[in-house]
mmCIF file of all heavy atoms in Angstrom:
data_model
loop_
_atom_site.group_PDB
_atom_site.id
_atom_site.type_symbol
_atom_site.label_atom_id
_atom_site.label_comp_id
_atom_site.label_asym_id
_atom_site.label_seq_id
_atom_site.Cartn_x
_atom_site.Cartn_y
_atom_site.Cartn_z
ATOM 1 N N GLU E 7 -12.378 41.321 4.491
ATOM 2 C CA GLU E 7 -12.759 41.486 5.891
ATOM 3 C C GLU E 7 -12.226 40.422 6.841
ATOM 4 O O GLU E 7 -11.792 40.731 7.928
ATOM 5 C CB GLU E 7 -14.278 41.595 6.019
ATOM 6 C CG GLU E 7 -14.825 42.892 5.490
ATOM 7 C CD GLU E 7 -14.235 44.123 6.160
ATOM 8 O OE1 GLU E 7 -13.871 44.077 7.345
ATOM 9 O OE2 GLU E 7 -14.130 45.153 5.472
ATOM 10 N N GLY E 8 -12.253 39.178 6.468
ATOM 11 C CA GLY E 8 -11.790 38.124 7.368
ATOM 12 C C GLY E 8 -10.293 38.123 7.612
ATOM 13 O O GLY E 8 -9.807 37.410 8.482
ATOM 14 N N SER E 9 -9.568 38.942 6.861
ATOM 15 C CA SER E 9 -8.109 38.917 6.940
ATOM 16 C C SER E 9 -7.524 39.925 7.930
ATOM 17 O O SER E 9 -6.346 39.848 8.264
ATOM 18 C CB SER E 9 -7.508 39.209 5.557
ATOM 19 O OG SER E 9 -7.662 40.585 5.222
ATOM 20 N N VAL E 10 -8.304 40.883 8.389
ATOM 21 C CA VAL E 10 -7.762 42.000 9.167
ATOM 22 C C VAL E 10 -7.459 41.573 10.598
ATOM 23 O O VAL E 10 -8.280 40.933 11.266
ATOM 24 C CB VAL E 10 -8.746 43.193 9.172
ATOM 25 C CG1 VAL E 10 -8.228 44.335 10.027
ATOM 26 C CG2 VAL E 10 -9.004 43.668 7.747
ATOM 27 N N ASN E 11 -6.257 41.919 11.044
ATOM 28 C CA ASN E 11 -5.903 41.701 12.449
ATOM 29 C C ASN E 11 -5.133 42.904 12.967
ATOM 30 O O ASN E 11 -4.478 43.604 12.202
ATOM 31 C CB ASN E 11 -5.129 40.393 12.640
ATOM 32 C CG ASN E 11 -3.830 40.385 11.884
ATOM 33 O OD1 ASN E 11 -2.923 41.132 12.208
ATOM 34 N ND2 ASN E 11 -3.728 39.553 10.867
ATOM 35 N N THR E 12 -5.269 43.130 14.252
ATOM 36 C CA THR E 12 -4.666 44.298 14.885
ATOM 37 C C THR E 12 -3.878 43.861 16.101
ATOM 38 O O THR E 12 -4.318 42.993 16.860
ATOM 39 C CB THR E 12 -5.761 45.296 15.325
ATOM 40 O OG1 THR E 12 -6.545 45.657 14.193
ATOM 41 C CG2 THR E 12 -5.162 46.544 15.925
ATOM 42 N N HIS E 13 -2.714 44.477 16.275
ATOM 43 C CA HIS E 13 -1.888 44.276 17.469
ATOM 44 C C HIS E 13 -1.653 45.649 18.080
ATOM 45 O O HIS E 13 -1.165 46.553 17.408
ATOM 46 C CB HIS E 13 -0.548 43.624 17.116
ATOM 47 C CG HIS E 13 -0.700 42.271 16.503
ATOM 48 N ND1 HIS E 13 -0.970 41.146 17.229
ATOM 49 C CD2 HIS E 13 -0.671 41.882 15.208
ATOM 50 C CE1 HIS E 13 -1.075 40.109 16.418
ATOM 51 N NE2 HIS E 13 -0.903 40.531 15.181
ATOM 52 N N SER E 14 -2.010 45.790 19.332
ATOM 53 C CA SER E 14 -1.804 47.058 20.033
ATOM 54 C C SER E 14 -0.499 46.982 20.806
ATOM 55 O O SER E 14 -0.318 46.101 21.639
ATOM 56 C CB SER E 14 -2.969 47.332 20.976
ATOM 57 O OG SER E 14 -4.161 47.458 20.233
ATOM 58 N N LEU E 15 0.405 47.903 20.508
ATOM 59 C CA LEU E 15 1.696 47.943 21.182
ATOM 60 C C LEU E 15 1.649 48.853 22.406
ATOM 61 O O LEU E 15 2.471 48.724 23.306
ATOM 62 C CB LEU E 15 2.777 48.409 20.208
ATOM 63 C CG LEU E 15 2.886 47.581 18.919
ATOM 64 C CD1 LEU E 15 3.938 48.164 18.002
ATOM 65 C CD2 LEU E 15 3.183 46.127 19.238
ATOM 66 N N SER E 16 0.703 49.781 22.397
ATOM 67 C CA SER E 16 0.451 50.672 23.532
ATOM 68 C C SER E 16 -0.953 51.224 23.337
ATOM 69 O O SER E 16 -1.666 50.802 22.422
ATOM 70 C CB SER E 16 1.485 51.809 23.584
ATOM 71 O OG SER E 16 1.251 52.744 22.546
ATOM 72 N N ASP E 17 -1.343 52.184 24.153
ATOM 73 C CA ASP E 17 -2.667 52.784 23.985
ATOM 74 C C ASP E 17 -2.814 53.468 22.631
ATOM 75 O O ASP E 17 -3.913 53.550 22.093
ATOM 76 C CB ASP E 17 -2.943 53.805 25.096
ATOM 77 C CG ASP E 17 -3.195 53.146 26.440
ATOM 78 O OD1 ASP E 17 -3.466 51.930 26.469
ATOM 79 O OD2 ASP E 17 -3.120 53.853 27.460
ATOM 80 N N GLN E 18 -1.714 53.981 22.092
ATOM 81 C CA GLN E 18 -1.771 54.767 20.862
ATOM 82 C C GLN E 18 -1.084 54.119 19.659
ATOM 83 O O GLN E 18 -1.391 54.473 18.529
ATOM 84 C CB GLN E 18 -1.160 56.155 21.105
ATOM 85 C CG GLN E 18 -1.921 56.977 22.131
ATOM 86 C CD GLN E 18 -3.365 57.232 21.732
ATOM 87 O OE1 GLN E 18 -3.659 57.503 20.571
ATOM 88 N NE2 GLN E 18 -4.282 57.128 22.687
ATOM 89 N N ILE E 19 -0.157 53.220 19.875
ATOM 90 C CA ILE E 19 0.621 52.605 18.786
ATOM 91 C C ILE E 19 0.016 51.243 18.449
ATOM 92 O O ILE E 19 -0.126 50.387 19.324
ATOM 93 C CB ILE E 19 2.104 52.435 19.159
ATOM 94 C CG1 ILE E 19 2.707 53.734 19.668
ATOM 95 C CG2 ILE E 19 2.887 51.855 17.986
ATOM 96 C CD1 ILE E 19 2.826 54.824 18.641
ATOM 97 N N HIS E 20 -0.326 51.079 17.164
ATOM 98 C CA HIS E 20 -0.980 49.848 16.719
ATOM 99 C C HIS E 20 -0.398 49.396 15.384
ATOM 100 O O HIS E 20 0.052 50.212 14.577
ATOM 101 C CB HIS E 20 -2.483 50.077 16.528
ATOM 102 C CG HIS E 20 -3.144 50.639 17.727
ATOM 103 N ND1 HIS E 20 -3.626 49.854 18.742
ATOM 104 C CD2 HIS E 20 -3.399 51.928 18.080
ATOM 105 C CE1 HIS E 20 -4.153 50.625 19.675
ATOM 106 N NE2 HIS E 20 -4.030 51.894 19.298
ATOM 107 N N VAL E 21 -0.463 48.092 15.164
ATOM 108 C CA VAL E 21 -0.141 47.501 13.873
ATOM 109 C C VAL E 21 -1.420 46.838 13.383
ATOM 110 O O VAL E 21 -2.039 46.055 14.111
ATOM 111 C CB VAL E 21 0.999 46.457 13.991
ATOM 112 C CG1 VAL E 21 1.272 45.817 12.638
ATOM 113 C CG2 VAL E 21 2.248 47.083 14.580
ATOM 114 N N ILE E 22 -1.824 47.185 12.181
ATOM 115 C CA ILE E 22 -3.010 46.571 11.581
ATOM 116 C C ILE E 22 -2.604 46.032 10.210
ATOM 117 O O ILE E 22 -1.878 46.686 9.467
ATOM 118 C CB ILE E 22 -4.200 47.562 11.488
ATOM 119 C CG1 ILE E 22 -5.459 46.842 11.002
ATOM 120 C CG2 ILE E 22 -3.866 48.786 10.674
ATOM 121 C CD1 ILE E 22 -6.738 47.660 11.150
ATOM 122 N N GLY E 23 -3.024 44.814 9.941
ATOM 123 C CA GLY E 23 -2.649 44.197 8.674
ATOM 124 C C GLY E 23 -3.728 43.267 8.172
ATOM 125 O O GLY E 23 -4.699 42.967 8.872
ATOM 126 N N GLY E 24 -3.534 42.830 6.961
ATOM 127 C CA GLY E 24 -4.470 41.915 6.326
ATOM 128 C C GLY E 24 -4.238 41.888 4.838
ATOM 129 O O GLY E 24 -3.121 42.135 4.363
ATOM 130 N N THR E 25 -5.297 41.620 4.108
ATOM 131 C CA THR E 25 -5.205 41.636 2.648
ATOM 132 C C THR E 25 -6.312 42.514 2.088
ATOM 133 O O THR E 25 -7.354 42.716 2.713
ATOM 134 C CB THR E 25 -5.316 40.219 2.037
ATOM 135 O OG1 THR E 25 -6.572 39.643 2.388
ATOM 136 C CG2 THR E 25 -4.171 39.332 2.499
ATOM 137 N N TYR E 26 -6.034 43.053 0.910
ATOM 138 C CA TYR E 26 -7.021 43.850 0.198
ATOM 139 C C TYR E 26 -6.922 43.572 -1.282
ATOM 140 O O TYR E 26 -5.936 43.054 -1.780
ATOM 141 C CB TYR E 26 -6.945 45.335 0.496
ATOM 142 C CG TYR E 26 -5.599 46.052 0.543
ATOM 143 C CD1 TYR E 26 -4.486 45.655 -0.162
ATOM 144 C CD2 TYR E 26 -5.476 47.211 1.319
ATOM 145 C CE1 TYR E 26 -3.292 46.368 -0.101
ATOM 146 C CE2 TYR E 26 -4.285 47.925 1.388
ATOM 147 C CZ TYR E 26 -3.197 47.499 0.667
ATOM 148 O OH TYR E 26 -2.016 48.196 0.723
ATOM 149 N N GLY E 27 -8.026 43.875 -1.978
ATOM 150 C CA GLY E 27 -8.074 43.706 -3.421
ATOM 151 C C GLY E 27 -8.054 45.060 -4.094
ATOM 152 O O GLY E 27 -8.731 45.987 -3.667
ATOM 153 N N TRP E 28 -7.238 45.173 -5.128
ATOM 154 C CA TRP E 28 -7.160 46.384 -5.957
ATOM 155 C C TRP E 28 -7.839 46.081 -7.276
ATOM 156 O O TRP E 28 -7.446 45.155 -7.987
ATOM 157 C CB TRP E 28 -5.701 46.750 -6.212
ATOM 158 C CG TRP E 28 -4.978 47.245 -5.010
ATOM 159 C CD1 TRP E 28 -4.362 46.496 -4.053
ATOM 160 C CD2 TRP E 28 -4.763 48.604 -4.643
ATOM 161 N NE1 TRP E 28 -3.787 47.313 -3.114
ATOM 162 C CE2 TRP E 28 -4.014 48.612 -3.450
ATOM 163 C CE3 TRP E 28 -5.147 49.824 -5.218
ATOM 164 C CZ2 TRP E 28 -3.643 49.787 -2.824
ATOM 165 C CZ3 TRP E 28 -4.768 50.993 -4.591
ATOM 166 C CH2 TRP E 28 -4.023 50.967 -3.410
ATOM 167 N N ARG E 29 -8.852 46.854 -7.596
ATOM 168 C CA ARG E 29 -9.602 46.654 -8.847
ATOM 169 C C ARG E 29 -9.290 47.807 -9.792
ATOM 170 O O ARG E 29 -9.403 48.977 -9.431
ATOM 171 C CB ARG E 29 -11.097 46.617 -8.565
ATOM 172 C CG ARG E 29 -11.941 46.456 -9.803
ATOM 173 C CD ARG E 29 -13.431 46.605 -9.453
ATOM 174 N NE ARG E 29 -14.214 46.645 -10.663
ATOM 175 C CZ ARG E 29 -14.859 45.609 -11.171
ATOM 176 N NH1 ARG E 29 -14.817 44.439 -10.556
ATOM 177 N NH2 ARG E 29 -15.549 45.731 -12.285
ATOM 178 N N PHE E 30 -8.898 47.450 -11.007
ATOM 179 C CA PHE E 30 -8.633 48.419 -12.064
ATOM 180 C C PHE E 30 -9.555 48.079 -13.223
ATOM 181 O O PHE E 30 -9.497 46.968 -13.749
ATOM 182 C CB PHE E 30 -7.177 48.342 -12.540
ATOM 183 C CG PHE E 30 -6.164 48.608 -11.480
ATOM 184 C CD1 PHE E 30 -5.662 47.571 -10.697
ATOM 185 C CD2 PHE E 30 -5.703 49.897 -11.254
ATOM 186 C CE1 PHE E 30 -4.721 47.821 -9.716
ATOM 187 C CE2 PHE E 30 -4.759 50.148 -10.275
ATOM 188 C CZ PHE E 30 -4.267 49.113 -9.504
ATOM 189 N N ASP E 31 -10.413 49.005 -13.606
ATOM 190 C CA ASP E 31 -11.263 48.789 -14.774
ATOM 191 C C ASP E 31 -10.466 49.157 -16.007
ATOM 192 O O ASP E 31 -9.972 50.275 -16.122
ATOM 193 C CB ASP E 31 -12.528 49.635 -14.695
ATOM 194 C CG ASP E 31 -13.496 49.104 -13.649
ATOM 195 O OD1 ASP E 31 -13.413 47.912 -13.323
ATOM 196 O OD2 ASP E 31 -14.316 49.887 -13.159
ATOM 197 N N GLN E 32 -10.333 48.210 -16.905
ATOM 198 C CA GLN E 32 -9.582 48.418 -18.137
ATOM 199 C C GLN E 32 -10.476 48.039 -19.303
ATOM 200 O O GLN E 32 -10.790 46.870 -19.481
ATOM 201 C CB GLN E 32 -8.306 47.588 -18.141
ATOM 202 C CG GLN E 32 -7.381 47.966 -17.009
ATOM 203 C CD GLN E 32 -6.102 47.160 -17.024
ATOM 204 O OE1 GLN E 32 -5.994 46.144 -17.687
ATOM 205 N NE2 GLN E 32 -5.127 47.635 -16.279
ATOM 206 N N ALA E 33 -10.877 49.056 -20.055
ATOM 207 C CA ALA E 33 -11.802 48.876 -21.181
ATOM 208 C C ALA E 33 -13.064 48.190 -20.666
ATOM 209 O O ALA E 33 -13.716 48.715 -19.783
ATOM 210 C CB ALA E 33 -11.136 48.111 -22.309
ATOM 211 N N GLU E 34 -13.366 47.022 -21.169
ATOM 212 C CA GLU E 34 -14.584 46.326 -20.739
ATOM 213 C C GLU E 34 -14.302 45.299 -19.660
ATOM 214 O O GLU E 34 -15.219 44.647 -19.168
ATOM 215 C CB GLU E 34 -15.240 45.666 -21.948
ATOM 216 C CG GLU E 34 -15.720 46.674 -22.976
ATOM 217 C CD GLU E 34 -16.332 46.008 -24.184
ATOM 218 O OE1 GLU E 34 -16.704 44.835 -24.094
ATOM 219 O OE2 GLU E 34 -16.424 46.680 -25.219
ATOM 220 N N ASP E 35 -13.043 45.132 -19.296
ATOM 221 C CA ASP E 35 -12.667 44.130 -18.306
ATOM 222 C C ASP E 35 -12.193 44.815 -17.025
ATOM 223 O O ASP E 35 -11.838 45.983 -17.008
ATOM 224 C CB ASP E 35 -11.533 43.250 -18.841
ATOM 225 C CG ASP E 35 -11.971 42.407 -20.024
ATOM 226 O OD1 ASP E 35 -13.131 41.954 -20.026
ATOM 227 O OD2 ASP E 35 -11.151 42.215 -20.942
ATOM 228 N N ALA E 36 -12.160 44.040 -15.971
ATOM 229 C CA ALA E 36 -11.607 44.519 -14.710
ATOM 230 C C ALA E 36 -10.461 43.609 -14.310
ATOM 231 O O ALA E 36 -10.540 42.389 -14.433
ATOM 232 C CB ALA E 36 -12.678 44.529 -13.627
ATOM 233 N N LEU E 37 -9.402 44.229 -13.863
ATOM 234 C CA LEU E 37 -8.255 43.505 -13.343
ATOM 235 C C LEU E 37 -8.303 43.649 -11.828
ATOM 236 O O LEU E 37 -8.380 44.771 -11.313
ATOM 237 C CB LEU E 37 -6.963 44.108 -13.894
ATOM 238 C CG LEU E 37 -5.653 43.577 -13.329
ATOM 239 C CD1 LEU E 37 -5.485 42.099 -13.672
ATOM 240 C CD2 LEU E 37 -4.489 44.390 -13.879
ATOM 241 N N VAL E 38 -8.300 42.534 -11.096
ATOM 242 C CA VAL E 38 -8.310 42.567 -9.643
ATOM 243 C C VAL E 38 -7.038 41.882 -9.152
ATOM 244 O O VAL E 38 -6.775 40.726 -9.491
ATOM 245 C CB VAL E 38 -9.555 41.880 -9.046
ATOM 246 C CG1 VAL E 38 -9.499 41.909 -7.524
ATOM 247 C CG2 VAL E 38 -10.826 42.539 -9.556
ATOM 248 N N LEU E 39 -6.258 42.631 -8.384
ATOM 249 C CA LEU E 39 -5.016 42.113 -7.817
ATOM 250 C C LEU E 39 -5.136 42.079 -6.306
ATOM 251 O O LEU E 39 -5.620 43.036 -5.693
ATOM 252 C CB LEU E 39 -3.842 43.006 -8.231
ATOM 253 C CG LEU E 39 -3.633 43.154 -9.733
ATOM 254 C CD1 LEU E 39 -2.595 44.221 -10.029
ATOM 255 C CD2 LEU E 39 -3.215 41.823 -10.335
ATOM 256 N N GLN E 40 -4.706 40.990 -5.717
ATOM 257 C CA GLN E 40 -4.746 40.850 -4.263
ATOM 258 C C GLN E 40 -3.380 41.217 -3.683
ATOM 259 O O GLN E 40 -2.339 40.900 -4.267
ATOM 260 C CB GLN E 40 -5.098 39.417 -3.873
ATOM 261 C CG GLN E 40 -6.494 38.986 -4.305
ATOM 262 C CD GLN E 40 -7.580 39.793 -3.622
ATOM 263 O OE1 GLN E 40 -7.546 40.016 -2.417
ATOM 264 N NE2 GLN E 40 -8.556 40.241 -4.398
ATOM 265 N N ALA E 41 -3.405 41.892 -2.549
ATOM 266 C CA ALA E 41 -2.167 42.298 -1.889
ATOM 267 C C ALA E 41 -2.334 42.175 -0.382
ATOM 268 O O ALA E 41 -3.445 42.200 0.142
ATOM 269 C CB ALA E 41 -1.814 43.741 -2.265
ATOM 270 N N ARG E 42 -1.219 42.040 0.294
ATOM 271 C CA ARG E 42 -1.218 42.063 1.759
ATOM 272 C C ARG E 42 -0.750 43.442 2.201
ATOM 273 O O ARG E 42 -0.003 44.114 1.470
ATOM 274 C CB ARG E 42 -0.336 40.958 2.314
ATOM 275 C CG ARG E 42 1.066 41.019 1.790
ATOM 276 C CD ARG E 42 1.844 39.738 2.073
ATOM 277 N NE ARG E 42 2.743 39.565 0.949
ATOM 278 C CZ ARG E 42 3.091 38.419 0.443
ATOM 279 N NH1 ARG E 42 2.633 37.304 0.935
ATOM 280 N NH2 ARG E 42 3.910 38.352 -0.572
ATOM 281 N N PHE E 43 -1.172 43.867 3.377
ATOM 282 C CA PHE E 43 -0.797 45.192 3.868
ATOM 283 C C PHE E 43 -0.514 45.155 5.361
ATOM 284 O O PHE E 43 -1.046 44.315 6.091
ATOM 285 C CB PHE E 43 -1.893 46.227 3.588
ATOM 286 C CG PHE E 43 -3.163 45.995 4.365
ATOM 287 C CD1 PHE E 43 -3.322 46.524 5.643
ATOM 288 C CD2 PHE E 43 -4.196 45.255 3.828
ATOM 289 C CE1 PHE E 43 -4.488 46.317 6.364
ATOM 290 C CE2 PHE E 43 -5.364 45.039 4.547
ATOM 291 C CZ PHE E 43 -5.512 45.565 5.809
ATOM 292 N N THR E 44 0.325 46.077 5.779
ATOM 293 C CA THR E 44 0.577 46.339 7.188
ATOM 294 C C THR E 44 0.732 47.842 7.359
ATOM 295 O O THR E 44 1.456 48.484 6.581
ATOM 296 C CB THR E 44 1.870 45.651 7.678
ATOM 297 O OG1 THR E 44 1.783 44.264 7.412
ATOM 298 C CG2 THR E 44 2.089 45.879 9.161
ATOM 299 N N PHE E 45 0.044 48.391 8.338
ATOM 300 C CA PHE E 45 0.210 49.783 8.738
ATOM 301 C C PHE E 45 0.693 49.811 10.175
ATOM 302 O O PHE E 45 0.164 49.069 11.013
ATOM 303 C CB PHE E 45 -1.119 50.544 8.699
ATOM 304 C CG PHE E 45 -1.652 50.832 7.332
ATOM 305 C CD1 PHE E 45 -2.531 49.958 6.716
ATOM 306 C CD2 PHE E 45 -1.313 51.999 6.666
ATOM 307 C CE1 PHE E 45 -3.052 50.227 5.462
ATOM 308 C CE2 PHE E 45 -1.827 52.279 5.404
ATOM 309 C CZ PHE E 45 -2.693 51.390 4.806
ATOM 310 N N VAL E 46 1.660 50.660 10.480
ATOM 311 C CA VAL E 46 2.016 50.994 11.854
ATOM 312 C C VAL E 46 1.454 52.387 12.083
ATOM 313 O O VAL E 46 1.772 53.320 11.346
ATOM 314 C CB VAL E 46 3.538 50.973 12.085
ATOM 315 C CG1 VAL E 46 3.862 51.386 13.521
ATOM 316 C CG2 VAL E 46 4.108 49.585 11.775
ATOM 317 N N LEU E 47 0.594 52.512 13.100
ATOM 318 C CA LEU E 47 -0.144 53.740 13.341
ATOM 319 C C LEU E 47 0.133 54.282 14.736
ATOM 320 O O LEU E 47 0.206 53.513 15.693
ATOM 321 C CB LEU E 47 -1.651 53.473 13.230
ATOM 322 C CG LEU E 47 -2.156 52.836 11.942
ATOM 323 C CD1 LEU E 47 -3.602 52.370 12.113
ATOM 324 C CD2 LEU E 47 -2.040 53.817 10.792
ATOM 325 N N ASP E 48 0.249 55.593 14.829
ATOM 326 C CA ASP E 48 0.281 56.289 16.114
ATOM 327 C C ASP E 48 -0.976 57.150 16.152
ATOM 328 O O ASP E 48 -1.021 58.224 15.549
ATOM 329 C CB ASP E 48 1.537 57.144 16.250
ATOM 330 C CG ASP E 48 1.623 57.848 17.592
ATOM 331 O OD1 ASP E 48 0.604 57.908 18.320
ATOM 332 O OD2 ASP E 48 2.715 58.355 17.922
#
């Protein structure tokens, strides 16, 4: 949550980015990988 930021290029065009965690349950353990993301949205 603290990582998300948004830049508005116009009323409809936006860039939103930050980081997210991907959790994969494998047998009795969980693998959590962190990644950064950016979306360009209309």
